[in-house]
Amino acid sequence: MTATLAPVDTDDLTRPRTGHRRVPVVFTVIAVAGVASVAVALPWLVNAYLVSLASTALVMAVLAMSAQLPAGLTGQPPLGQAAYLTVGAYTAASLATLTSLGPIQLAAAAAAGAIAAAITGLLAVRARGTTFLMITFAVGELLHAAANAWAPGGSDGTHTPAVVPLPGLPPMVLDGWAYLYVLVCTLLIAAAVAVLVRTRFALLLRGIASHEPRMRASGHHTDRLLLAAYTIAGGIAGAAGALTITVTRYISPADAAMGISALALAAALIGAGSMTGACTGAVLLVAARDWAGGFLGGHGPTLLGLCFLLVAYLPRHRMTGLASLLTGRRR
Amino acid sequence: MGLTGYAIIALNGVAYGLLLFTVAAGLTLIFGVAGVFSMAHGTLYLAGAYTAWLLVDGGWIGFGLALAVGAVVGTVGGTALAAVVQPLAGRPLDQVLATLGIAYIAGDQFSAVFGAEPRSVDPPGALAGSITVAGHAYPIYRLSFIALAAVVAGVLFWLVERSRAGAVVRAVVADPQMAAATGIRTGTVRTAVLAGGGGLAVVGGVLGAPVIGPAPGVDTTILVYSLIICVVGGLGSIRGALLTALGVGQTLTLGVALAPAAASFVLAAMMLAALAVRQRDEFAHLRGPA
């Protein structure tokens, strides 16, 4: 039923993995070690601007994973994930008056994002496909409006103190330390997501994507499963919100704007069902919008629009090929 | 505030609602007929509003010129959108991304050309003043707008619900394959609806510019309200769109005046209620082939 929305998922499910050209394990290990060492060494390699850009890219990668959970696994594309990011960010910002401890802010933000997603998800999970997308979009925009009306600082936003990574350590006022903290948090979240996508729960979600009537016939409450997936996705987005204020020490309703949600969804689509691909997509899109856009006289949105058009017109399976080339395997 | 004060606000709500209807009616038809959730629909309104800002000079000639240019821009824009989404038929998500990309590029270019600050558009001199309604001054333009939009709504309602062309359009909404089997050229109907819907949105922008003036971000606002109207009113339903648009108009004016905090949530609650009442399979044909 959702074949048109998640063509690659069904492809992934049916294609035998043994038929795929194998990349020698040693190359994969070298590639991963190379990327990891560059990622860790980044603050010592590039200037402060690029470090903060890399932090933004990591936050967007987390948000892209949050969008990929419903989009890639259940075949239901969300277009309002920025709203839960903002809920998480404002929760962390409010908590910052009590404690500057990052992990506590992160946990509270994830919980708040999950609660917000669970409540608003009741609206969304009755719908499927494009209607699901429309409703998540509208809910996201309503939360955006609510943030403008009631959030601390109003539409001007609010500043937050620097986050302390662990008890006893100094606050992270330097971009480099904030980047490394965000990198560690992103890797932990990614590890949790990697475990999640290998559970029976994820298999049930993939089942909904490929043939929902059969899942219902076999006694599964598909709406509840979708709501659970959407809630977890909201929690991940909330965590991304806490990471946002770690990086920028500032949050405003503008962070709930459609552009952020759209970027997360486009990254998920570039990833074509894969979490690694979604993260790669997020990094590429942030680079296009903020870095390459800077060379074009600040026309980042135009460049992002062109990227969206490119994603829409490129055959999706080619991008899966790209993703598998980059990661050395199909996920 | 006295009772008449609220009545004046309610009248504003009617103007606002009819303006939203003019724009959303196009989107509901586009979605219902072509199955395209056009994220660029608000952009078309903004194009109309900027057209009005450029051409409306306080006289009738400028106003008429703006309307004519708006109609052309909208029809051409709608047809272009149809051409853009044509290769993506059966891939609704890619259609969303493509139209979103266009909305982004257009929004950025509007800001580059017209600047980031909001622009105000004055109606033609003859409609610029205000008259006294129940002891309150009320802009003549809004009253004329209400009258004009009511005519547009009436014509649209007749066209879709009563005319032969409307029957064809409704047939394509209800069952595209059966409609095609009876000899209806569904592709032509789709393009025509996208062109017509685009024309309505841009003309709505020209007429609505003195009410909701052109500014960056207006495209998203209009898109969100149109979307809520589509979801709550039922896709492809002109009657539903009209009733919902009037409701949304009142929520955004009277609701904001009476209970500012609750207004946003009334809109969410309207959506929830509409979705709860309706069977999910109403949208089944929009999900693409099984």
Side-chain angles (χ1 to χ4, degrees), chain A residues 4-218:
Chain A
T4 51
L5 285 169
V8 182
D9 284 41
T10 38
D11 192 35
D12 261 346
L13 282 171
T14 51
R15 187 188 296 259
R17 293 191 176 192
T18 46
H20 193 67
R21 188 171 55 86
R22 297 237 176 179
V23 178
V25 176
V26 62
F27 287 136
T28 313
V29 170
I30 290 172
V32 168
V35 170
S37 45
V38 168
V40 171
L42 204 67
W44 290 278
L45 294 176
V46 296
N47 60 29
Y49 169 67
L50 286 177
V51 170
S52 79
L53 207 62
S55 306
T56 309
L58 286 175
V59 172
M60 286 313 299
V62 174
L63 196 66
M65 285 194 273
S66 153
Q68 186 70 294
L69 192 58
L73 262 60
T74 69
Q76 306 304 327
L79 190 45
Q81 293 309 96
Y84 309 120
L85 178 143
T86 318
V87 168
Y90 274 110
T91 305
S94 310
L95 205 62
T97 54
L98 300 174
T99 171
S100 293
L101 206 55
I104 293 181
Q105 291 184 5
L106 191 73
I115 292 168
I119 296 168
T120 50
L122 288 172
L123 269 168
V125 297
R126 289 179 58 87
R128 295 290 180 274
T130 320
T131 319
F132 179 87
L133 182 130
M134 287 167 59
I135 290 164
T136 49
F137 169 57
V139 166
E141 286 301 314
L142 289 172
L143 279 178
H144 183 193
N148 260 318
W150 296 316
S155 56
D156 291 337
T158 180
H159 289 272
T160 57
V163 168
V164 175
L166 285 171
L169 292 178
M172 299 178 291
V173 282
L174 289 173
D175 287 341
W177 289 115
Y179 163 79
L180 288 175
Y181 170 77
V182 171
L183 181 66
V184 170
C185 292
T186 304
L187 289 176
L188 289 175
I189 293 167
V193 169
V195 171
L196 179 74
V197 297
R198 284 165 179 77
T199 56
R200 182 172 172 274
F201 171 64
L203 270 180
L204 290 176
L205 296 179
R206 287 181 194 276
I208 295 174
S210 45
H211 204 286
E212 189 178 347
R214 194 187 292 171
M215 295 295 289
R216 269 211 296 274
S218 61

Side-chain angles (χ1 to χ4, degrees), chain A residues 1-5 77 79 122-131 133-135 137-139 141-143 145-146 150 212 216 222-223 258-260 262-263 265-266 269 298-306 308-309 311-316, chain B residues 31 35 37 39 83-88 90-102 104-105 108-109 112 220 223-224 227-228 230-231 235 260-262 264-265 267-268 271-273 275-280 283 286-290:
Chain A
M1 169 174 291
T2 47
T4 51
L5 285 169
L79 190 45
L122 288 172
L123 269 168
V125 297
R126 289 179 58 87
R128 295 290 180 274
T130 320
T131 319
L133 182 130
M134 287 167 59
I135 290 164
F137 169 57
V139 166
E141 286 301 314
L142 289 172
L143 279 178
W150 296 316
E212 189 178 347
R216 269 211 296 274
T222 52
D223 281 2
M258 172 184 69
I260 312 282
L263 199 149
L265 179 62
L269 293 178
H299 282 295
T302 296
L303 209 58
L304 201 60
L306 288 172
F308 289 170
L309 279 170
V311 174
Y313 281 102
L314 273 185
R316 201 59 50 74
Chain B
F31 202 164
F37 172 28
M39 298 290 289
V84 165
V85 297
Q86 180 55 39
L88 306 172
R91 289 154 60 189
L93 196 49
D94 288 333
Q95 293 180 339
V96 167
L97 264 184
T99 50
L100 187 64
I102 291 167
Y104 257 78
I105 296 167
D108 193 33
Q109 296 307 318
T220 314
L223 177 64
V224 172
L227 182 63
I228 292 171
C230 286
V231 171
L235 301 177
S264 276
F265 288 92
L267 293 179
M271 269 202 338
L272 177 66
L275 289 165
V277 167
R278 215 174 276 144
Q279 290 296 314
R280 79 168 72 205
F283 304 127
L286 296 170
R287 289 181 215 156

Side-chain angles (χ1 to χ4, degrees), chain B residues 218-234:
Chain B
V218 164
D219 44 356
T220 314
T221 313
I222 294 284
L223 177 64
V224 172
Y225 292 146
S226 306
L227 182 63
I228 292 171
I229 291 166
C230 286
V231 171
V232 177

